[in-house]
Amino acid sequence: MLELIVYGVLLFLLVQMFRLWMADGDLSLMWYERFGQSPAQLAGKVVWITGASSGIGEALAVEMSKVGTKLVLSARRKEELERVKQTCVETGNVAEKDVLVVPLDSVAHDTHAGCVKRVLAHFGKVDVLINTSWRSQRSSFLETTLINERKAQFTVPPQVSLTKAVLPHMMEQGEGQIVVTGSTSGMIAEAGLSAYCGSKFALRGFYGALRAELQSYDIDVLLVCPGPVETNVVQNAMVGDPDKFFNQDPKLDPSHANDVSAPRCARLFMVAMANRLEEVWISRNPWLTYAYLVSYLPFIGNR
Ligand SMILES: NC(=O)c1ccc[n+]([C@@H]2O[C@H](COP(=O)([O-])OP(=O)(O)OC[C@H]3O[C@@H](n4cnc5c(N)ncnc54)[C@H](OP(=O)(O)O)[C@@H]3O)[C@@H](O)[C@H]2O)c1
């Protein structure tokens, strides 16, 4: 009998290890996807997405439009935002007036208050702000420009300014959700990504502190850390000069050999949002296992 129980426990552990190896998100996210609130909860909310002209932000817009979320789409390229809006209206459950395009540059801080005014004039509220705009990096530290006033890689993370502009409205409203796209590069330091890792590690500290400050308000702060996702992130990565692009085919990048698709990543974002989680990781292996190792067994993970 005892033997049977031991074999049963071993089998259970093996199955769980196999499931973890095949997973594309951390254990809590996989749990909530199966047993938690459905992303359909986001219907009717006003969600503002930065970085909505491409990649993860675009997929978020398209997936949320399917459940009837009202959308504000922001990034620098207006024509790309209009294209994404068109897709949302054609394939989603939203009308033209439910999707507002507000072009902005995340590092043009002085323009953000005006953008918030425009959004409030149109929708009267912002329920969720998703800060997902930004670029990766492919350059050694010595090649990388330290300070470039408007495109500074080592100063305030670009996600912070719009958060500051939207927050007073959420506090007045008495509820809201701030979501920020971090990265597994904000957990695992990698060569050639010193500025990117620095900025993504900083996000965890910054939004953790903000979460603590907002404890007495009904405002959630969610940090989403994707690993490799199939987008234009590698082509659009900065090199030493942030005005230039890396422009390499992501298939040549070994870290992108087992990407999560952008729509799947967006869907898992929505699970985390609907369940008001604080931090989630979205990645396939080996990055998912690395994330667990650096978090729980750093003396192994950091090697
Ligand atoms: N894909 C991955 O493997 C991966 C993994 C971990 C984390 N992430 C994070 O996910 C986020 C989205 O990246 P992605 O993979 O979707 O890459 P992407 O396809 O290159 O999209 C980047 C988005 O950010 C916008 N953006 C860049 N600089 C901006 C600025 N100064 N102001 C406003 N918008 C700006 C771009 O729009 P415009 O050019 O029109 O401004 C675009 O919409 C980033 O924060 C990235 O660090 C990605």
Side-chain angles (χ1 to χ4, degrees):
M1 183 63 185
L2 187 67
E3 259 183 11
L4 218 61
I5 293 172
V6 172
Y7 283 134
V9 170
L10 282 177
L11 188 66
F12 175 79
L13 287 176
L14 266 175
V15 170
Q16 296 315 314
M17 280 171 74
F18 178 73
R19 286 180 67 179
L20 182 59
W21 187 252
M22 298 308 287
D24 53 9
D26 67 77
L27 287 174
S28 66
L29 191 53
M30 296 295 102
W31 172 272
Y32 280 102
E33 185 183 25
R34 220 160 151 195
F35 302 111
Q37 301 286 346
S38 152
Q41 301 263 336
L42 303 171
K45 288 196 183 290
V46 176
V47 177
W48 187 348
I49 306 169
T50 73
S53 62
S54 164
I56 295 174
E58 173 176 355
L60 277 165
V62 172
E63 292 305 311
M64 286 195 197
S65 70
K66 291 179 186 161
V67 301
T69 306
K70 295 179 182 173
L71 296 164
V72 183
L73 307 181
S74 290
R76 291 164 302 179
R77 290 168 301 161
K78 185 168 188 286
E79 61 294 354
E80 287 303 302
L81 294 171
E82 293 291 352
R83 175 187 61 75
V84 175
K85 172 175 177 170
Q86 212 44 43
T87 310
C88 292
V89 172
E90 280 167 17
T91 63
N93 191 15
V94 286
E96 285 267 341
K97 66 171 178 28
D98 297 331
V99 186
L100 180 68
V101 165
V102 179
L104 63 77
D105 186 332
S106 292
V107 290
H109 301 165
D110 50 342
T111 64
H112 294 169
C115 296
V116 175
K117 270 194 190 146
R118 242 192 97 186
V119 173
L120 292 179
H122 187 86
F123 284 121
K125 62 171 186 166
V126 179
D127 294 307
V128 185
L129 171 67
I130 310 183
N131 293 291
T132 204
S133 64
W134 207 230
R135 293 168 63 191
S136 188
Q137 178 202 5
R138 293 294 184 278
S139 57
S140 74
F141 171 59
L142 285 183
E143 290 165 343
T144 303
T145 315
L146 273 189
I147 301 277
N148 175 339
E149 287 180 76
R150 280 172 54 80
K151 300 175 186 78
Q153 295 183 32
F154 276 103
T155 55
V156 181
Q159 294 80 356
V160 166
S161 165
L162 195 59
T163 301
K164 192 165 185 176
V166 170
L167 208 48
H169 158 71
M170 285 186 177
M171 287 164 128
E172 201 181 301
Q173 189 175 264
E175 58 176 349
Q177 190 176 39
I178 306 273
V179 184
V180 63
T181 307
S183 172
T184 49
S185 300
M187 307 167 73
I188 306 160
E190 294 164 77
L193 278 85
S194 54
Y196 185 69
C197 287
S199 145
K200 293 291 187 185
F201 270 74
L203 284 184
R204 171 176 268 201
F206 174 82
Y207 282 93
L210 183 64
R211 184 182 299 118
E213 282 185 25
L214 294 176
Q215 241 173 14
S216 51
Y217 298 86
D218 196 13
I219 300 174
D220 300 326
V221 176
L222 163 64
L223 172 69
V224 181
C225 300
V229 178
E230 201 176 358
T231 67
N232 293 329
V233 73
V234 179
Q235 293 97 313
N236 290 340
M238 301 178 203
V239 287
D241 173 355
D243 283 331
K244 299 213 166 102
F245 294 84
F246 187 54
N247 262 334
Q248 184 188 282
D249 182 349
K251 291 191 186 84
L252 300 175
D253 186 332
S255 67
H256 280 267
N258 197 16
D259 280 357
V260 174
S261 76
R264 171 69 181 155
C265 177
R267 197 75 198 156
L268 291 174
F269 254 78
M270 290 163 70
V271 169
M273 288 163 63
N275 288 281
R276 307 182 76 165
L277 303 183
E278 292 188 349
E279 177 172 335
V280 296
W281 311 336
I282 300 173
S283 181
R284 292 222 173 92
N285 275 304
W287 294 100
L288 189 58
T289 303
Y290 294 159
Y292 274 103
L293 287 176
V294 293
S295 300
Y296 298 108
L297 294 170
F299 60 99
I300 299 176
N302 288 331
R303 274 153 213 258

